[in-house]
Amino acid sequence: MHLLLVVGAWLAVALFVAAGVASVVTGWVPWPARRRVVRPRLWGYGTLLTSLGLSLLLLLGPLEDAGAGIVAFGGYCVLFLAGFVVQALAQRPGRDTTKTAS
């Protein structure tokens, strides 16, 4: 059962990475997020950051040392949440600079 959960989690991370790379390279966004995303490349970077945090958590997990384990787990969570913040910023319209009339 544990093996099925691990394989499922790695498949989800692989899909996140594929969607992130596709968004950064081509500007394509998967259909569930397509309506909300205004800046697809930024959304792709956020997806890559989120998948990095999740993959580090899956790969390394909580370390055995009590002090280092808490710090490492906090770092994974910060990467994961920072990716979500970047994805949320990609859903807001950017501000264009306007020229003032001279």
Side-chain angles (χ1 to χ4, degrees), residues 3-91:
L3 180 64
L4 290 175
L5 292 173
V6 170
V7 168
W10 278 110
L11 285 175
V13 168
L15 287 174
F16 284 152
V17 168
V21 168
S23 294
V24 169
V25 173
T26 64
W28 177 81
V29 178
W31 65 269
R34 194 171 295 154
R35 284 188 182 172
R36 295 183 309 264
V37 173
V38 180
R39 295 179 278 183
R41 296 197 197 296
L42 185 63
W43 185 86
Y45 287 124
T47 304
L48 290 174
L49 195 60
T50 301
S51 61
L52 176 67
L54 187 58
S55 64
L56 284 175
L57 178 65
L58 290 173
L59 184 65
L60 300 176
L63 301 175
E64 294 295 324
D65 186 19
I70 296 295
V71 172
F73 183 74
Y76 309 150
C77 290
V78 165
L79 279 175
F80 190 72
L81 293 175
F84 278 131
V85 168
V86 172
Q87 285 178 333
L89 291 175
Q91 295 177 6

